[in-house]
Amino acid sequence: MREEGVVPDKVAMVTVVFACAKLGAMHKARIIDDYIQRKKFQLDVILGTAMIDMYAKCGCVESAREIFDRMEEKNVISWSAMIAAYGYHGQGRKALDLFRMMLSSGMLPDKITLASLLYACSHAGLVEEGLRFFSSMWEDYSVRTDVKHYTCVVDLLGRAGRLDEAFKLIKSMTIEKDEGLWGAFLGACRTHKDVVLAEKAATSLLELQSQNPGHYVLLSNIYANAGRWEDVAKIRDLMSQRRLKKTPGWTWIEVDNKSHQFSVGDTTHPRSKEIYEMLKSLSNKLELVGYVPDTNFVLHDVDEELKIGILYTHSEKLAIAFGLIATPEHTSIRIIKNLRVCGDCHTFCKLVSEIAGRVIIVRDANRFHHFKEGACSCGDYCCLATGIRDDIPGNPDENAVYLDPFLPYT
């Protein structure tokens, strides 16, 4: 557009900002931000809110807050965007503080604001706070609860292991239930290994979406975790009969303004030899600090050695190894995963951040994780529900994301 001599207007810039948010490409986000400042575009509620969303989805919630603070005028969507940003970065307390600031400014929340707030509570383990907001939505803010609010609360209770309360809440609902609600509950049943309730949730899910392979895979993973391999085989046979295929797992990393993509066991990258040498070096160092691969996250009836080999080549680990060899020391490594990060990769990222002295920022299908000096921003609370993965090529993988982490803006 610029090469053609056409000068972008605000609408064009908002569209480009939105594209950067979808990509999660920090380098491009910085370039766009610099261009907006050079051309002196007004940071109004439309462009400013889009930029808050962009920086948050690129993994830099601090830059999102800087944009928010620079905005002279804010509407309810601007406030909601910043609350949502804190939510999917696991900073629930900051989301609550910002909500109080919003009320103090005289701005009243809408249903999106409260959905974002409930989501933030869910991902920070703020159970009582979330339940209090949910129960007072109409009385305090004249906002009627819809299925997204119920979904957030089911997820809130489910992550905390309060499955019976979550199921009771679902049964008490007078509004129509959707696949997001049942999916959140099924995910919680998987996390806490409740096969009985999982089967009930899966039955409802398959009535709503019989052609979604993610539902079948999630139930299959639950059976596998319980050692019910015959049931696993039945589910996968059913998938074959209905011609349902998985969405393969991929991880992306941006280096020198170029995106590099990895799948499990990938050997196609030009620097694969160096990547696997780095992984071997990391493995030796991790063993010295007590890391043991958690083979519970490989849900196949195979021997332990093969399971360890599968874990060793998860796409996240390949991307991180590439980041370590392709970027300067002490710089942050940012990766994007199209599925959810398994618990073993979560542990791997924590330890690598410590031994390599790097900040590792992971955007998966559910939220952001910031790893620094051996700890994660989620406090290990959310890794309970990040999903058990099935990453062997040619087998079903978990491709369903039931709670939209970018709730108001996708």
Side-chain angles (χ1 to χ4, degrees):
M1 182 179 183
R2 293 171 61 194
E3 288 172 359
E4 291 287 332
V6 180
V7 180
D9 61 6
K10 187 181 72 174
V11 174
M13 295 315 303
V14 169
T15 305
V16 173
V17 166
F18 179 76
C20 283
K22 283 291 186 182
L23 284 172
M26 176 59 75
H27 179 76
K28 293 177 176 62
R30 295 293 190 198
I31 291 174
I32 295 301
D33 189 358
D34 289 343
Y35 182 83
I36 287 170
Q37 291 190 55
R38 285 201 318 271
K39 297 300 182 180
K40 294 182 169 48
F41 280 94
Q42 182 184 359
L43 209 61
D44 59 13
V45 292
I46 298 174
L47 183 57
T49 301
M51 291 183 68
I52 290 169
D53 190 46
M54 175 186 73
Y55 269 126
K57 290 179 181 177
C58 288
C60 190
V61 70
E62 295 82 11
S63 293
R65 182 58 188 264
E66 288 175 10
I67 296 292
F68 178 82
D69 290 339
R70 279 167 46 195
M71 293 172 62
E72 294 182 5
E73 180 186 354
K74 304 177 183 71
N75 63 8
V76 66
I77 302 175
S78 309
W79 286 94
S80 299
M82 194 63 234
I83 290 170
Y86 280 133
Y88 48 76
H89 282 270
Q91 299 183 22
R93 291 292 178 189
K94 289 187 177 180
L96 292 178
D97 290 342
L98 191 66
F99 181 70
R100 296 186 187 100
M101 285 179 58
M102 178 182 178
L103 297 179
S104 298
S105 74
M107 184 74 65
L108 291 176
D110 62 9
K111 64 180 183 179
I112 293 174
T113 315
L114 292 170
S116 300
L117 191 65
L118 290 171
Y119 181 89
C121 290
S122 173
H123 281 257
L126 304 175
V127 180
E128 298 308 320
E129 292 89 339
L131 292 175
R132 188 161 57 249
F133 281 116
F134 179 71
S135 64
S136 64
M137 282 175 56
W138 175 252
E139 182 180 347
D140 291 349
Y141 311 112
S142 300
V143 174
R144 295 192 182 279
T145 52
D146 63 21
V147 69
K148 285 189 180 292
H149 301 115
Y150 274 98
T151 300
C152 288
V153 176
V154 166
D155 187 60
L156 177 79
L157 292 169
R159 287 173 183 272
R162 294 161 63 169
L163 296 180
D164 289 336
E165 290 179 63
F167 189 60
K168 184 178 179 180
L169 178 65
I170 293 172
K171 302 301 287 185
S172 71
M173 289 173 59
T174 57
I175 59 177
E176 187 175 354
K177 306 169 184 67
D178 67 6
E179 64 276 4
L181 179 89
W182 283 114
F185 185 61
L186 181 59
C189 292
R190 175 212 54 221
T191 300
H192 298 286
K193 302 179 182 180
D194 192 320
V195 179
V196 174
L197 287 178
E199 289 176 327
K200 293 180 180 180
T203 299
S204 297
L205 266 175
L206 295 180
E207 288 176 357
L208 290 168
Q209 284 189 329
S210 62
Q211 295 302 305
N212 187 330
H215 305 329
Y216 296 85
V217 174
L218 192 51
L219 182 58
S220 170
N221 285 349
I222 291 168
Y223 284 142
N225 199 48
R228 292 170 55 171
W229 298 109
E230 290 184 5
D231 289 320
V232 171
K234 289 178 182 178
I235 292 292
R236 296 190 172 184
D237 285 343
L238 186 60
M239 289 182 68
S240 296
Q241 293 170 17
R242 296 183 177 180
R243 298 182 179 180
L244 301 176
K245 296 183 179 180
K246 67 164 186 172
T247 296
W250 297 96
T251 300
W252 292 265
I253 180 171
E254 186 183 28
V255 175
D256 295 331
N257 200 25
K258 181 181 178 182
S259 181
H260 300 259
Q261 180 175 296
F262 297 91
S263 61
V264 60
D266 203 330
T267 58
T268 61
H269 194 276
R271 300 183 69 178
S272 279
K273 184 178 179 181
E274 295 172 77
I275 290 169
Y276 279 92
E277 287 174 352
M278 173 56 74
L279 272 180
K280 185 176 181 180
S281 174
L282 287 174
S283 177
N284 293 335
K285 292 177 181 178
L286 291 175
E287 285 182 12
L288 295 176
V289 296
Y291 168 69
V292 178
D294 190 345
T295 55
N296 289 322
F297 290 94
V298 181
L299 298 184
H300 286 273
D301 193 12
V302 295
D303 62 39
E304 287 295 301
E305 186 176 353
L306 180 55
K307 287 183 177 182
I308 291 172
I310 294 165
L311 285 174
Y312 179 70
T313 60
H314 272 189
S315 60
E316 300 94 310
K317 293 172 182 172
L318 296 175
I320 289 170
F322 174 65
L324 289 172
I325 65 174
T327 61
E329 291 186 11
H330 308 301
T331 59
S332 297
I333 294 174
R334 301 172 184 271
I335 66 173
I336 300 175
K337 174 72 182 178
N338 68 327
L339 305 178
R340 286 178 277 189
V341 176
C342 77
D344 180 73
C345 286
H346 190 271
T347 301
F348 176 87
C349 291
K350 286 198 301 181
L351 294 175
V352 170
S353 73
E354 183 173 22
I355 65 173
R358 299 284 197 110
V359 173
I360 300 174
I361 301 169
V362 180
R363 169 180 165 178
D364 72 4
N366 217 30
R367 57 163 292 148
F368 279 87
H369 295 266
H370 296 250
F371 300 93
K372 182 179 180 181
E373 297 176 352
C376 180
S377 58
C378 76
D380 294 343
Y381 175 74
C382 286
C383 68
L384 291 172
T386 52
I388 296 173
R389 295 246 310 278
D390 180 356
D391 257 348
I392 297 178
N395 286 290
D397 204 334
E398 184 177 355
N399 67 329
V401 182
Y402 300 108
L403 269 181
D404 187 346
F406 310 123
L407 200 57
Y409 308 107
T410 51

